[in-house]
Amino acid sequence: IERWLRGKWQEHTPPFYGSVDLRNAGFKLSPVDMNLFPGGFNNLNPAFLPLCVQAAMSAIEKICPMAKSLVLIPENHTRNQFYLQNVARLVTILRMTGLNVRIGSLLPEIDRPTPVELPNGESLLLEPLVRNRYRLGVADLDPCAILLNNDLSAGIPDILQGLNEQFILPPLHAGWATRRKSLHFAAYDEIAEEFAQLVGIDPWQINPYFGVCNSVNFHDRQGEDCLAAKVDAVLAKIREKYREYGIEDTPYVVVKADAGTYGMGVMTVKDASEVVGLNRRQRNKMSVIKEGMSVTSVIIQEGVHTRERVGDGVAEPVVYMIDRYVVGGFYRVHSERGEDENLNAPGMHFEPLAFETSCYLPDCHQTPDAPPNRFYAYGVVARLALLAAALELEQTAPAED
């Protein structure tokens, strides 16, 4: 497995960083979401900080070996303390690589250096961005690279366009203004197929079926027929696999916006009739995602039950990577949701210490489900999703002028 992955990274450039939501049903372990602008570095086990620094050094050396400075552009969540703690942790990691790191804000009200206090006593200094023709920076700093921790859900701001003299990480087309989950999972299909052949498993065991419906308008009930047909088709394929493996769980699919994050625009469906004639509340919930953007396309993804438990809550692992390295992970836990429901919802919490071992050290003398081996499996499937993201970004890169 490691040799195969090493070969793949010689063919494809990994994204600067990423996080993958996994679901472990026991009979199936697969990614259900791939985020290229991860916002939970504060939830990682502090013991794995050296891994993060080492991986960040590797990523930076690849892009610009002589890099001295970097401007980090965060999301516009100036009141979300959890998110700001993520930014602080990211700044710490990057500074430990020897970089001068400053934070440039896209918010128009940040027109002078503005300190933001964090609950743990730290503070962040947000600064206005300064644009000069083909370069972007902050006052008195013209950085080697721009690191986005903003997923561009609301579109690509003018200030970020046409920067042809600096590296923008990840590239602009990785943002939700243009990226689509269905394109990611189409790339993942290719990777999962090849990997499954390598290790002699059914690709379905690491890959969720999916379909996509474009031209959807929940307010006007447009696209309901397409949605019902695709739900029916994906459920039929899951039922067939469940029969093949003697699985008695009830198949379900997750309908979600084809672009965007934050668990918005998501519904769990067990029968095609459930997506026809949605009531007003359901239509409102499905029609808008982050930044108030309208949903016009949805992915219908096979639902994967999660058998993981942390305390009294249903849990799913989230694996974090920098460059091609797994740098840690945590469990997203929700005590009021079932094992066939979306856990990225109000009421969730994170268990950063649950990954008590790294994802790199399997132990052949223990059972397959012993922690070192389970975490290794998480790390492998997460890296397959990262590889699919690398492939996806290659396939969707805008043509050079």
Side-chain angles (χ1 to χ4, degrees), residues 205-225:
Q205 292 177 300
I206 53 167
N207 191 8
Y209 289 133
F210 76 95
V212 64
C213 274
N214 298 310
S215 305
V216 172
N217 185 318
F218 284 97
H219 278 310
D220 298 343
R221 300 188 186 281
Q222 183 185 329
E224 276 189 357
D225 291 345

Side-chain angles (χ1 to χ4, degrees), residues 237-257:
K237 289 170 78 174
I238 304 169
R239 285 190 200 101
E240 198 176 310
K241 281 293 180 186
Y242 279 19
R243 275 195 297 273
E244 182 184 335
Y245 287 100
I247 296 160
E248 295 181 359
D249 291 330
T250 304
Y252 72 101
V253 297
V254 178
V255 178
K256 51 189 173 183

Side-chain angles (χ1 to χ4, degrees), residues 130-270:
V130 177
R131 173 75 188 250
N132 297 314
R133 202 162 184 202
Y134 299 125
R135 299 184 71 84
L136 186 65
V138 292
D140 307 321
L141 181 70
D142 180 12
C144 310
I146 306 292
L147 178 63
L148 293 175
N149 197 244
N150 181 311
D151 65 20
L152 307 178
S153 289
I156 301 170
D158 290 343
I159 199 168
L160 292 179
Q161 302 200 29
L163 295 172
N164 57 14
E165 292 181 357
Q166 280 168 312
F167 289 103
I168 301 184
L169 310 165
L172 294 177
H173 69 282
W176 287 123
T178 50
R179 188 174 176 234
R180 295 296 174 265
K181 294 176 186 179
S182 51
L183 294 177
H184 172 76
F185 281 98
Y188 185 76
D189 275 349
E190 291 181 44
I191 301 297
E193 188 75 38
E194 190 179 336
F195 179 80
Q197 273 190 325
L198 174 80
V199 296
I201 60 170
D202 180 345
W204 174 75
Q205 292 177 300
I206 53 167
N207 191 8
Y209 289 133
F210 76 95
V212 64
C213 274
N214 298 310
S215 305
V216 172
N217 185 318
F218 284 97
H219 278 310
D220 298 343
R221 300 188 186 281
Q222 183 185 329
E224 276 189 357
D225 291 345
C226 169
L227 198 48
K230 290 288 171 70
V231 166
D232 219 19
V234 176
L235 283 171
K237 289 170 78 174
I238 304 169
R239 285 190 200 101
E240 198 176 310
K241 281 293 180 186
Y242 279 19
R243 275 195 297 273
E244 182 184 335
Y245 287 100
I247 296 160
E248 295 181 359
D249 291 330
T250 304
Y252 72 101
V253 297
V254 178
V255 178
K256 51 189 173 183
D258 202 15
T261 51
Y262 289 85
M264 300 173 76
V266 179
M267 67 189 292
T268 300
V269 177
K270 292 176 182 171

